[in-house]
Structures are given as C-alpha cells and as structure tokens.
Amino acid sequence: FQGFVEMLVEMVDTQARGIVHNETSRKVVAPVALTVFVWIFFMNFMDMLPVDLIPAIWQHGYAAAGHDPEHAYMRVVPTADLSVTMGLALGVLLISLYYNIKIKGFFGFIKSLFTSPFHAHGPIGIICLAPANFLLNIIEFVSKTVSHGMRLFGNMYAGELLFMLIALLGASASLSLGGAALFIGHILAGSFWTIFHILIIILQAFIFMMLALVYIGQAHENH
C-alpha cells in the first residue's frame, strides 16, 4: 500500500513538474492535483456498488426516522450530479484566477485581459482591439470551466445510466418468457461494463486532474 501511494504521489508530481514550472507554486498545486485525483476517483468508484444498495439502506433509515420511504432520495454517484462537477470546475477556475493575479499582479492580469491574444502597437490599435480581446478571454475562462465540469459529469452520468439499464435487464428476467436469456445477458453485460468502467473511472479522474494542472499552469504564462 505504501508503495502504491508513493507511486501515485510521484506520478502526480512528475505531471506537475512538466506543466507548472514555478517551484513555489508547485508546492501547493501538486498536492491540490493529488487531492483532486484521489477525491474524484473515490467519487467515481461509487458507481461500482450495486445501483440499489445505498438507496435501499437510505430508504430504510428514512422510514426508521418516521418519514415516508417513498420520498427517500439518494443519489449514489456524486460526479454524476452536475452541481458537484461544476463545483469542482469552479474551484479550479478560482485557483487559476488566484495565480493569474499572483504571478502577473492585479493590474498586469487586467492588462492581459485587454491586450491578448491579439497584440497591437500604439494606443489606437490597443483601444480598437481591447473589446475583442476582453470578450475572447472571458469566453475562454467560461468555456474551459464549463467543459471541465461537463466532461466529467457526462461520462459518469452515462456510466450510471448504463448500470441502471443493465440492472433493469436483470429485473425484467422474471417478467418474460425469455427470462433465462435476459438474466444471462444481464450477467454478461454487467460484467463487461464493470470491467470497462473501471478504466473510465481512473481515466476521468486523471483527465480532470491534468486539465486542472494545465489551466493553473496557463496562469503562469505571460502573453
């Protein structure tokens, strides 16, 4: 276990070194990236539990507390909820803005919003291009944040939905003449999708972490 943890830390540190070249920033950014990777991995891994296990436990607990169990709501996979993934993406955006201001200075950051990506010489050219530069930079920040959160949400939501459909396939086995075939299909589809989904769980956590490093690393670049 210790060897696995050391390998994980070294992997994240290597990626951080290749993207964030500021050593002082990396002392904070690398642990943040490691936390993001592990946190998202465990949230994604909730998809490996039986789809009705935790909702059933919550339903019984809800009834024991004197409430109507039919109104017990439990969403098992946090990253299949858009509010969670967008919250994570907004966190990355705030860190990126912080380093933009820290590295470039407040006025330097404001200046970069109006003077890049299109550069101009002379005050007239700068004034003419300032609105377009500002608009493009705002669109870039918004689009990166939205796509960052939506990518993780879309993949995990689709995976959760497929697990539910496979579970319904098994449940419908007792309601049809071809029940045995449906049950076999349920076992095979569930097994194949679980094995494949393990790769998705790891990959999506890795991609989110890498994009977080890239966006924070971009804050250290001067146009």
Side-chain angles (χ1 to χ4, degrees):
F1 177 76
Q2 179 181 346
F4 173 76
V5 172
E6 290 176 353
M7 181 180 68
L8 183 62
V9 171
E10 185 178 354
M11 181 271 292
V12 175
D13 185 62
T14 301
Q15 299 299 330
R17 285 177 182 274
I19 297 173
V20 181
H21 302 295
N22 187 305
E23 186 175 353
T24 303
S25 299
R26 199 164 57 242
K27 291 179 180 179
V28 176
V29 174
V32 168
L34 178 63
T35 302
V36 165
F37 177 79
V38 175
W39 190 14
I40 293 178
F41 170 78
F42 280 117
M43 287 195 291
N44 291 351
F45 195 79
M46 296 292 286
D47 223 356
M48 294 291 100
L49 298 175
V51 294
D52 54 354
L53 176 61
I54 294 180
I57 295 173
W58 173 244
Q59 193 174 39
H60 288 301
Y62 203 73
H67 303 292
D68 183 4
E70 294 299 324
H71 292 88
Y73 176 78
M74 171 57 68
R75 188 69 177 272
V76 176
V77 186
T79 45
D81 189 328
L82 186 59
S83 60
V84 173
T85 59
M86 287 307 300
L88 291 167
L90 284 172
V92 173
L93 173 64
L94 291 176
I95 296 173
S96 299
L97 292 175
Y98 167 77
Y99 277 107
N100 265 296
I101 296 173
K102 181 180 180 180
I103 299 298
K104 303 170 185 175
F106 179 76
F107 292 106
F109 173 56
I110 297 299
K111 178 183 177 182
S112 69
L113 291 177
F114 290 94
T115 57
S116 63
F118 299 122
H119 301 281
H121 299 286
I124 296 178
I126 293 174
I127 293 173
C128 291
L129 289 177
N133 283 331
F134 179 76
L135 181 61
L136 286 174
N137 279 299
I138 296 301
I139 291 174
E140 180 184 2
F141 279 117
V142 173
S143 62
K144 286 193 301 187
T145 302
V146 172
S147 64
H148 201 189
M150 288 291 292
R151 181 183 291 104
L152 177 60
F153 161 74
N155 281 278
M156 297 313 300
Y157 181 79
E160 184 186 43
L161 189 61
L162 277 172
F163 273 123
M164 290 180 178
L165 293 174
I166 292 170
L168 289 174
L169 182 66
S172 63
S174 60
L175 303 177
S176 65
L177 295 176
L182 287 175
F183 182 75
I184 294 172
H186 161 73
I187 297 297
L188 292 176
S191 300
F192 287 134
W193 182 244
T194 300
I195 294 170
F196 180 70
H197 201 62
I198 291 173
L199 299 176
I200 295 177
I201 286 172
I202 299 172
L203 184 61
Q204 288 306 313
F206 181 77
I207 289 175
F208 195 97
M209 178 201 74
M210 288 299 298
L211 287 175
L213 285 173
V214 168
Y215 296 156
I216 296 172
Q218 287 176 343
H220 292 73
E221 298 174 359
N222 291 319
H223 292 286

